[in-house]
Amino acid sequence: MKKLFLSMLVMLCAVTTASAAFKVGNLWFEPYTPAGETPTASVVPPPTGEPSYQETLSGRVVIPSQVTYVFTNNGQSTEYNCVVNNLQGAPFQNCAAITEIVLPDALASIGGSSFQNCTGLTSINIPASVKEIWMGAFQGCINLETIVVDSNNPYYDSRSNCNAIITKQDVSFSSVTYPKDQLVFGCKGSTVPNTVTSIGREAFRYCTGLTSITFPNTLQKINQTAFEGCTGLTSITIPASVDYIYYQNPFSSCSNLETIVVDTNNPVYDSRNSCNAIIQTSSNTLVSGCKNTVIPEDVTAIGDKAFQSIPLASTVIIPEGVTSVGSSAFGNCGIIKLTLPSTLKSLGICAFSTNMNMEDVYCYREHNVENNIDMTFEYMGAAVWQQTCDEYIPGRAKLHVLPGDVEYYRNADQWKYFIVVGDLIHDAALTLSYGALNSENWTNVAFEKDANGNWTLTQELPANTEFKVFDQDDNWYGGSVGLITKGMIGSELNLSTSGSNFKIPVAGTWTFTVTPNLQTLVVTGTWNDILTLKGSFLNNWAGGKDFVLGEDGKWTITQEMQQGDEFKFVFNNTTWIGAESGNNTFTEEMIADGTPLNLIQEVNGASSVNFISPVYGNWTLTVDLENNTLVVSGQWPEPEYAHVYILGEVDKYSWDPSDAPEMNTTDGIVYTYDANFDGRGDNGENYFSFTTELGKNWDDIASFRFGAVSDGDYWFNNEQLGVPFALTYKNGQSIRILAGDYTLKVNLEDMTLTITNQSSEYPVGDVNGDYVVDVSDINILVNIILGTDNAANYDGRANVNGADDVDVSDINMVVNIMLGQNN
């Protein structure tokens, strides 16, 4: 019996000291069987030479609670039922195809990076047995949104359905300690319960799906790299309760972070002057920044990683007063131009590394030596300019320094790979001179020097203002661009002593910033676009009226125009906009339908023509510059026709012009009137003529009176019924007609009068109703038979012989009537 016990003890010790990985299903395990204890096994990555889990695992993966290990020694095999209680060696790291993982009930430890970058995971359940959760266990699981901790777990919970792992008590294992109520791991679906006091190290690191986070008023600490790389975050608010934020920016590499607010009641941190940053109040150190941060002038230090991998503006100015810039503070920020203040004494490791497109660094730090000791920079860490301007990329950027410091920077370590230029100046006097074109009196306003040595000035200017800059030596600085366009606002414009005037075409309040070396100018401010209406009705094109820009992005204006008025538009006082040739006159149909007219902007040689108002109107013009169209709306005017009056003995009226009846018209060409002539003359006749204008006496009417062409009175008889005869303006003679009821028809286009008898029936064969039977009636019958005219148009007169249809027999009858062979 004693020998058997010793042999078993030897085998157990052999398992403990000579364990070998074994495979169960698709998973590999490593056994551990200490003497006198329950055998256990850890899930481990496949051994060298075996297919990786990335190749073999996908979908749902179940880790068994127990596996059987067969140990063979001296030809004798022994089975051990091992409890699976550990994940070690990052077994499932980068297994993107796994969508679900089932952890065993006896699992006690989840090793670091166990599920790192398992991007297919959307949920995880933590068993009650788990105590050890190492940092980074679920890092990079960007689609994880549900985390549930078994309610019987004594160490952790996911209280309030927060989808996070939170400590119930102080948890310690190996070298790791988690305090009570710490959120040790979260995901994109996490919320922070109001019982949480700290966010653990790496808790949300690289959780790119996290788009928002709200911190409770119980939160006190935010630990190292807690939110590093959370690129979905756009804003954060730090409550008044937070008294510890890890000094190396827990929010580094949050590249889309735009807004940072610290509660004004927080005694340890602030975001003074709405700077969009976290500043440690007591030390004036900027701990965490974002892409909209404005570094306050009273900040004295930029902390480690404060802006790491944050896309900043191309120009970054570190204000005077800052004495230190921490490690990786501005690493990989896309900086092109950088200004370092004269107060700067310390630069941390990799402070400006990986700004690959850096062009200019303006360094105002003056070289200083005391007691043979270089005091220029008290500390300068390694690789400050790594992959920005170092021995691997020589001469990439220019370093601008004070003239007396050129040799020092050319030879100093970490600076010598720049192209060093001694063009900075300490002081100058700079003035902006502005005025209107060709004006003799310009206004001069002095610039002020800011903490970075730049010259700044804010000035309100009217439209089309020209300006230049001059210094204390009366050197004038202009530019090559001349006209400043909208796209140039905020951009660097080159200054030159031989440059021409700058011109701003739109009114506004502008801030002018000139670099200390007087080489560049930046104009900033709000550019308010202007669209101006120009036309023949506005001071002969010299004036203009501004459109109103609507919320829909379209420009509108209402303007009264006369017939024939021409107009165009001017955008921002620079670009003329007109119409296509041949398509520049709008019509009544376009007004009714809202039909747009195309616009042409006169750019790069393109030309346009003026628009024309074809009639009088009060037009509303709507311009869509995005689609280059014009829509004209308004009330198309009713036509105004000439007045035609009948003068003389008609309708028993006298020759008094005030009693003259007015003729009727629908088109301004043909005028009609049903007149009664009473035969009051000696021979039973009446006299009449026409006028287009009534006056107080005959002399006033003379210029507008028209009538018969022949001299003397024109006698009208029944043979002329329906036959047009000529009229003439001015000196037209009165027409004499016998008593009767007649319809008078005046055609102003061909100046003719046609008279028809209202009371007489039309003679047989008089198809066209002119009281005469002639060839014109035959032509109408022919057209009806050929189908080019309609018999219904002639009130039954086309059916001459009274038969059912109009045919050749009707033509024959008309011919006989004309020949006198038929009545």
Side-chain angles (χ1 to χ4, degrees), residues 322-326 343-348 351 365 376-381:
V322 172
T323 60
S324 66
V325 174
T343 54
L344 188 62
K345 299 178 181 179
S346 174
L347 289 170
R365 181 64 179 170
T376 306
F377 289 94
E378 296 175 2
Y379 173 77
M380 195 164 182

Side-chain angles (χ1 to χ4, degrees), residues 450-710:
D450 66 13
N452 304 297
N454 295 302
W455 299 96
T456 63
L457 166 67
T458 299
Q459 183 66 40
E460 183 178 359
L461 298 179
N464 293 317
T465 299
E466 299 198 15
F467 67 90
K468 265 190 176 182
V469 175
F470 66 92
D471 62 19
Q472 75 281 1
D473 298 322
D474 207 28
N475 295 313
W476 287 82
Y477 297 85
S480 59
V481 298
L483 181 69
I484 295 177
T485 61
K486 185 176 183 179
M488 295 178 187
I489 300 299
S491 300
E492 292 186 346
L493 307 174
N494 291 329
L495 287 175
S496 171
T497 52
S498 59
S500 59
N501 294 347
F502 291 102
K503 179 181 178 181
I504 295 185
V506 299
T509 299
W510 306 105
T511 296
F512 303 91
T513 302
V514 178
T515 51
N517 56 12
L518 306 183
Q519 291 187 351
T520 58
L521 163 72
V522 176
V523 182
T524 54
T526 301
W527 180 287
N528 295 311
D529 288 328
I530 299 173
L531 186 66
T532 305
L533 175 67
K534 299 273 190 176
S536 55
F537 44 83
L538 292 171
N539 195 20
N540 196 26
W541 293 83
K545 290 177 65 176
D546 292 339
F547 281 73
V548 175
L549 178 61
E551 293 182 358
D552 58 357
K554 297 178 182 179
W555 301 83
T556 59
I557 195 171
T558 300
Q559 175 62 43
E560 184 178 19
M561 298 183 191
Q562 301 299 323
Q563 181 178 355
D565 276 343
E566 301 185 23
F567 59 94
K568 269 189 179 182
F569 318 119
V570 182
F571 185 61
N572 288 336
N573 293 321
T574 58
T575 304
W576 281 85
I577 302 173
E580 295 177 329
S581 179
N583 189 27
N584 60 328
T585 302
F586 48 89
T587 65
E588 184 176 6
E589 289 74 19
M590 291 179 179
I591 300 294
D593 299 339
T595 305
L597 288 164
N598 291 332
L599 298 176
I600 294 180
Q601 298 189 21
E602 296 184 353
V603 179
N604 298 328
S607 60
S608 63
V609 296
N610 297 339
F611 287 102
I612 298 175
S613 176
V615 294
Y616 164 81
N618 199 36
W619 306 122
T620 295
L621 312 177
T622 301
V623 174
D624 183 347
L625 291 182
E626 182 176 350
N627 297 303
N628 281 323
T629 57
L630 163 68
V631 173
V632 184
S633 57
Q635 181 65 46
W636 191 271
E638 294 294 331
E640 294 186 8
Y641 303 133
H643 299 280
V644 177
Y645 303 93
I646 305 174
L647 295 171
E649 301 166 342
V650 59
D651 292 348
K652 300 182 180 180
Y653 286 106
S654 67
W655 282 88
D656 184 351
S658 63
D659 292 332
E662 183 175 357
M663 302 186 75
N664 302 310
T665 184
T666 58
D667 58 8
I669 298 173
V670 176
Y671 292 75
T672 61
Y673 188 79
D674 292 334
N676 171 259
F677 296 101
D678 58 2
R680 71 182 64 183
D682 295 338
N683 298 308
E685 78 282 356
N686 293 88
Y687 293 85
F688 68 95
S689 60
F690 306 96
T691 181
T692 57
E693 189 74 22
L694 290 179
K696 296 180 179 179
N697 53 57
W698 284 102
D699 292 336
D700 295 330
I701 295 175
S703 297
F704 304 97
R705 183 170 176 260
F706 61 98
V709 176
S710 61

Side-chain angles (χ1 to χ4, degrees), residues 723-741:
V723 179
F725 63 90
L727 299 174
T728 182
Y729 277 119
K730 294 184 181 181
N731 300 319
Q733 303 303 307
S734 294
I735 301 165
R736 184 168 54 178
I737 190 170
L738 294 175
D741 294 326

Side-chain angles (χ1 to χ4, degrees), residues 35-48:
E37 296 184 17
T38 303
T40 61
S42 300
V43 181
V44 294
T48 303

Side-chain angles (χ1 to χ4, degrees), residues 160-239:
S160 306
N161 298 317
C162 63
N163 291 312
I165 301 173
I166 301 171
T167 54
K168 286 182 176 180
Q169 56 178 298
D170 292 345
V171 179
S172 295
F173 53 90
S174 187
S175 59
V176 177
T177 299
Y178 297 143
K180 180 184 177 183
D181 294 325
Q182 181 176 87
L183 191 154
V184 297
F185 180 76
C187 65
K188 72 176 184 177
S190 295
T191 58
V192 184
N194 58 13
T195 53
V196 167
T197 59
S198 64
I199 307 293
R201 180 176 177 177
E202 301 185 8
F204 290 91
R205 193 180 191 190
Y206 299 122
C207 185
T208 57
L210 183 70
T211 57
S212 65
I213 193 78
T214 301
F215 298 131
N217 290 328
T218 57
L219 186 67
Q220 298 172 8
K221 293 178 171 55
I222 301 175
N223 287 288
Q224 183 177 0
T225 62
F227 294 92
E228 181 178 4
C230 290
T231 55
L233 279 180
T234 58
S235 66
I236 54 172
T237 298
I238 306 298

